[in-house]
Structure formats: C-alpha cells, structure tokens
Amino acid sequence: MKILIIEDNTQTTEVVKLAFKLGWPDVRLVEANSGEKGIEMVETAKPDAIILDIGLPDISGYEVLRQIRLFSELPVIMLTVRNEEGDIIKALSLGADDYLVKPFRQMELLARIKAISRRLHSPEIDLEFGCGPFHFGQSITKLYKDDMSIRLTNIERQILYHLMRANGRYVCNEMIAQKIWGENAYERIRVNIRHLREKIEDDPSNPRYLVNIPGKGYMFIYQDAPKISLSPSQDITP
Ligand code: CA
C-alpha cells in the first residue's frame, strides 16, 4: 500500500510518518508539499490513497481535491484544522472519502486509512449486480441507467449498492454509516444521497428511486420490485 500525503507542514508530515512507522510499517509514504505537486504525484507516484491538507501554500486543498476528482476516484482523507460543519460538508461534497480534524490522534488516522483500505480490497460488491434500469459497469465507479453511463464516487457506489440490494426495504442510517465508515455519520450519508439523486433521478427534488424514510434511513425502490416493506432490511449485517 502506498499513500501520498499532500501537506506543507513538515511537523504534521513527520507525525504521520511516525504513525505509520509504528503502527503500519508496510505502508510506503510519499510526500508533496504543495497542491500542484500533489496533483502531479497522484498520476506519477500511483498511490493507493491520499491524505490531503486544506491549507496549502499555492492552491487550497479543496481545489486540489476538485482537480484530482476530474481524473481519479482514489480515496482521499482531508486533514483540517477547522471543525465547522460547512468546511466538512464542502470537502465531502467535492468527493472526499473522510476527514480528520487536527490535532488528530495517530491511531485514529491509521484506523481511518485501514477502513478505506478494507473497502478497496473487499470483494463485497458484486459488479454484475443490477436492479431495474440500473446496473454497475466493469469499472467500479461506473453505473448504467438503461444505456446512459453515470460516474459515481467510490462512496456513492457503495451507498447505492447497499440500498439496491435491499430493494423495496429501507436501510437505516446507522447501518449505512457502519457499512461504509464504521461509525455513525449522518451528514456524510445525506450529502452522498443528494449527489446520487442528482445523478440518477430524473427529478432530484422529487426522487423516484432513492426515498428517505424520515428519521430512519433510506430505501431504493424500483417499481417492479416485490412488495414494498417498511421494516428494515435483514440481509445487510454489519
Ligand atoms: Ca498546511
């Protein structure tokens, strides 16, 4: 596993290096100290995941993330000193997989990266799976709606996959969060559902496929599905 850290603060980079050295020595860490260099290294160094600081000397981490997402779906963990909801939502909206607020605990960083790595390497998602007009393509981020190709982020794909598997039964928020982040993270679900609706619904403000069960969770509904049930899905176990 190779991880690219894009961070101008050498002290933070050293802390991250030390964390891996002690807790996960198999990981190779490569560094970029500016945004532009980081974007270049996503292509040249071929990392498996990216740790990205928001406050960089040349361009902001948000802009770096936006540009990375134009050509790559690699997992990105944002490092931020801010802990305001708006900043976190902005990072998630631009396609960040997760975020950590500085100062963070070393073990927490390792746990987040391990969770991402598990998801990357788990054969849990059946690429052949389809439901109604939707089926996943050979590339893990490609979804087809009839013949139209839709590009999903890694997180969006996982959420949609779990909801489709439970077609006609709702999946509770806690279950979605646990499946994907290993913890409860309602805001992250909400942002990703909004993006999915914008991508797959004809009218995102009046969703037909991705339905919210207020206070409970979400449900994927395809109309030819068997009877719709308001009891939670049983086949998704944490
Ligand atoms: Ca910085």
Side-chain angles (χ1 to χ4, degrees):
M1 177 118 172
K2 193 199 275 181
I3 292 172
L4 168 65
I5 175 164
I6 306 174
E7 163 69 273
D8 61 316
N9 185 325
T10 47
Q11 215 176 335
T12 306
T13 307
E14 289 308 315
V15 168
V16 172
K17 268 188 185 165
L18 188 64
F20 280 104
K21 198 171 166 188
L22 296 174
W24 199 359
D26 292 343
V27 169
R28 221 184 110 204
L29 214 63
V30 287
E31 306 162 39
N33 55 14
S34 76
E36 297 285 3
K37 178 132 183 278
I39 295 166
E40 190 187 307
M41 284 182 71
V42 174
E43 290 191 277
T44 56
K46 306 210 180 310
D48 300 295
I50 300 160
I51 298 170
L52 173 60
D53 181 34
I54 289 180
L56 291 166
D58 51 349
I59 49 177
S60 83
Y62 296 125
E63 178 58 19
V64 175
L65 177 61
R66 196 189 64 78
Q67 290 194 34
I68 289 173
R69 282 289 174 258
L70 296 176
F71 65 90
S72 167
E73 298 299 336
L74 281 177
V76 175
I77 292 189
M78 300 294 281
L79 287 184
T80 170
V81 281
R82 311 165 206 195
N83 193 10
E84 286 173 18
E85 201 183 28
D87 294 309
I88 290 163
I89 290 173
K90 186 171 176 187
L92 296 171
S93 296
L94 285 166
D97 291 75
D98 208 343
Y99 62 89
L100 270 178
V101 178
K102 293 185 208 174
F104 51 87
R105 287 179 300 123
Q106 293 178 338
M107 288 310 124
E108 193 181 355
L109 173 70
L110 294 189
R112 300 283 178 106
I113 304 254
K114 279 184 175 160
I116 280 179
S117 158
R118 261 201 312 278
R119 295 200 302 267
L120 277 179
H121 299 110
S122 77
E124 175 177 20
I125 289 184
D126 173 11
L127 285 174
E128 301 293 302
F129 185 75
C131 185
F134 300 102
H135 68 273
F136 291 99
Q138 277 308 307
S139 147
I140 57 164
T141 52
K142 201 170 256 183
L143 175 79
Y144 289 94
K145 181 182 181 186
D146 296 319
D147 289 331
M148 186 175 68
S149 159
I150 299 169
R151 196 157 170 243
L152 302 180
T153 67
N154 192 31
I155 298 277
E156 288 168 351
R157 176 181 62 102
Q158 292 180 62
I159 292 177
L160 185 62
Y161 177 79
H162 291 306
L163 291 176
M164 271 190 189
R165 288 297 299 246
N167 183 12
R169 284 162 298 157
Y170 86 85
V171 184
C172 67
N173 289 320
E174 291 76 12
M175 194 68 86
I176 298 173
Q178 199 172 31
K179 267 278 169 192
I180 293 170
W181 292 283
E183 62 182 86
N184 199 346
Y186 178 69
E187 198 50 55
R188 289 183 258 192
I189 297 173
R190 207 180 58 81
V191 168
N192 279 283
I193 291 279
R194 198 182 73 222
H195 287 168
L196 276 168
R197 281 176 174 158
E198 285 163 4
K199 290 180 180 183
I200 73 168
E201 297 281 0
D202 298 321
D203 177 5
S205 60
N206 186 18
R208 171 182 161 195
Y209 299 109
L210 286 177
V211 177
N212 179 223
I213 310 297
K216 291 191 166 157
Y218 290 90
M219 174 159 66
F220 176 89
I221 301 177
Y222 172 62
Q223 58 186 10
D224 282 358
K227 202 170 151 238
I228 289 166
S229 149
L230 276 179
S231 61
S233 162
Q234 296 302 314
D235 65 354
I236 294 187
T237 43

